[in-house]
Amino acid sequence: MIDGLLLFLLMLKAALFSTSGIGNLPILHQDLLSRGWATDRNFTESLAIGQISPGPSGLWVISLGYLLDGLRGALFALIAITLPPLLVLVVHSFYRRYGDHPATQGFVRGLGLAVAGIFLVVLFGIMRDAGFNAANGLIALGALGLGATRRMPVIIVMALAAVVGIALY
Amino acid sequence: MPGVSDRKFAESIAPAAVSCLSPWQQLLIWLNIGIQSFGGGAATLYLIRRAAVEQHGWLTDEEFTRYWGICQISPGINLVGLSILIGWRVARWLGVALALAGLLVPSAAITVALTAGYASVEQVPVVRAALRGMAPATVGLGLMLAYTMARPLLAAGWREGRASLATAWALLIGSALATAFTPVPVLAVLWGGGALAALAHWQLAIRQRRAS
């Protein structure tokens, strides 16, 4: 069964070692799935809710926390994502001194590329859970296309996808 | 370095100039942002920028961009970090607390409410159908997100030359392969990727300096 405190620590660790609202996804995904505390389905759902609800999309962790451990999980998730960004104040002063060094710039770039690469693998997992069929492929491509226009709010894309889902199934 | 001391000076005198808003006013501003920002990061970023730079003059455009860059490399959600930096600038720790409260508390509450609502309707066939439609959409949007993440980094590599571009691609593909097919933990892939890139970039910079 899920240990509330350990869940908090895992979420804190993931948030600490990520640099964006989605950077904690790969770490959390690995930690929670390996313990059998969450499924790909949980991630898919909380990510979708994170997109729809107001505020940064990084709040999807709060949704996941609630799915896995109720209000306590949600509260722990909120704390877990609020604490690490406080380090920005430390990075701010570090950056003032070392931001122009090529190693710093290289590190930032490498981190971003690694996050993107791992993220692709996670997306693959979500797709596999949903099923590799024509309908899903078309919906994914459609969402990609609409997202690429940058003019369509995410919530509208998700609403359209929901309608398509209802129509199909 | 010429720019650094100017920046430090400007930021050291800034706090006194901007904390003329009462805590309640600040909280309201942040609450406004937190509640209105449907649709994820872009909307929130836009709202923060509009409030902080245009409406209340808390920081200049240049400072905003620099803060945003710092948030990208700092731990955690970028927008939360940005709010902390701006909150600090306006009213130190009180400003940070107000920014976080306004931005996060209502949004988190709504997120929980949506999740709870979902949990009670997840068995309803219509809802299941809708979710089956939304899962691949999340993947499509996710691909878009991965593209926006990776493209500027690859473009920077392309600008710097073949070696840099090859390194960038190798990092992207290598991290994906390492995650998918080896038992290397994600954290190691991230730190490893960052460290390798730091070294590579540094070496390339040295070589370019020698060549010019």
Side-chain angles (χ1 to χ4, degrees):
Chain A
M1 267 283 76
I2 292 184
D3 179 348
L5 185 59
L6 188 52
L7 180 62
F8 168 71
L9 289 172
L10 287 174
M11 289 194 285
L12 184 64
K13 178 187 81 165
L16 204 52
F17 290 104
S18 74
T19 62
S20 69
I22 208 73
N24 52 357
L25 173 62
I27 300 172
L28 211 46
H29 189 258
Q30 182 181 63
D31 281 337
L32 293 180
L33 258 69
S34 62
R35 284 177 173 76
W37 286 0
T39 63
D40 269 319
R41 180 71 51 85
N42 294 135
F43 276 85
T44 311
E45 286 153 2
S46 49
L47 282 169
I49 293 178
Q51 300 276 16
I52 295 174
S53 64
S57 57
L59 299 188
W60 69 269
V61 212
I62 297 180
S63 181
L64 184 68
Y66 184 80
L67 281 175
L68 300 183
D69 201 21
L71 269 177
R72 178 178 66 174
L75 183 62
F76 279 178
L78 176 61
I79 298 174
I81 62 173
T82 306
L83 292 178
L86 290 171
L87 289 171
V88 76
L89 294 167
V90 173
V91 176
H92 182 42
S93 49
F94 177 89
Y95 197 65
R96 276 200 242 163
R97 292 168 71 199
Y98 298 117
D100 297 322
H101 193 286
T104 313
Q105 293 168 339
F107 181 84
V108 170
R109 189 183 302 175
L111 195 63
L113 289 165
V115 168
I118 299 171
F119 188 50
L120 287 173
V121 176
V122 173
L123 286 175
F124 181 84
I126 295 179
M127 196 61 166
R128 188 180 48 193
D129 174 64
F132 284 111
N133 52 53
N136 283 345
L138 282 172
I139 296 175
L141 279 172
L144 177 61
L146 287 174
T149 66
R150 290 177 201 275
R151 289 177 189 285
M152 199 139 282
V154 166
I155 191 170
I156 305 248
V157 177
M158 297 303 277
L160 283 172
V163 168
V164 170
I166 294 174
L168 281 177
Y169 309 114
Chain B
M1 261 186 288
V4 179
S5 46
D6 296 343
R7 265 190 257 144
K8 278 187 184 164
F9 179 70
E11 284 183 18
S12 66
I13 63 170
V18 291
S19 59
C20 45
L21 283 175
S22 80
W24 281 118
Q25 286 172 309
Q26 288 175 44
L27 184 60
L28 267 161
I29 293 170
W30 286 107
L31 277 172
N32 233 338
I33 295 173
I35 295 199
Q36 280 187 63
S37 52
F38 281 91
T44 321
L45 182 62
Y46 169 78
L47 287 166
I48 294 178
R49 191 185 167 284
R50 197 177 63 170
V53 178
E54 293 170 25
Q55 288 173 339
H56 304 284
W58 286 340
L59 51 162
T60 69
D61 218 344
E62 196 226 335
E63 284 163 340
F64 184 88
T65 308
R66 189 150 37 86
Y67 278 8
W68 184 236
I70 292 173
C71 295
Q72 308 256 4
I73 61 174
S74 318
I77 302 174
N78 297 343
L79 288 161
V80 176
L82 183 64
S83 310
I84 291 172
L85 281 175
I86 297 178
W88 174 266
R89 177 68 172 276
V90 175
R92 302 248 152 193
W93 284 116
L94 176 61
V96 171
L98 295 169
L100 289 176
L103 187 76
L104 292 179
V105 171
S107 328
I110 296 178
T111 305
V112 169
L114 284 174
T115 315
Y118 154 76
S120 67
V121 299
E122 81 175 290
Q123 296 307 320
V124 177
V126 173
V127 175
R128 309 213 80 181
L131 284 165
R132 278 180 74 183
M134 289 201 279
T138 311
V139 173
L141 290 173
L143 284 171
M144 187 64 219
L145 179 62
Y147 175 74
T148 54
M149 266 196 280
R151 201 186 76 101
L153 304 175
L154 292 169
W158 183 74
R159 275 198 306 271
E160 288 163 7
R162 242 182 309 165
S164 190
L165 180 63
T167 316
W169 273 109
L171 282 161
L172 181 64
I173 298 175
S175 53
L177 292 175
T179 313
F181 299 116
T182 74
V184 178
V186 162
L187 259 179
V189 174
L190 289 173
W191 276 99
L196 281 171
L199 268 165
H201 208 244
W202 196 5
Q203 288 307 304
L204 281 168
I206 292 177
R207 228 180 291 161
Q208 275 168 355
R209 233 180 288 151
R210 283 205 203 114
S212 61

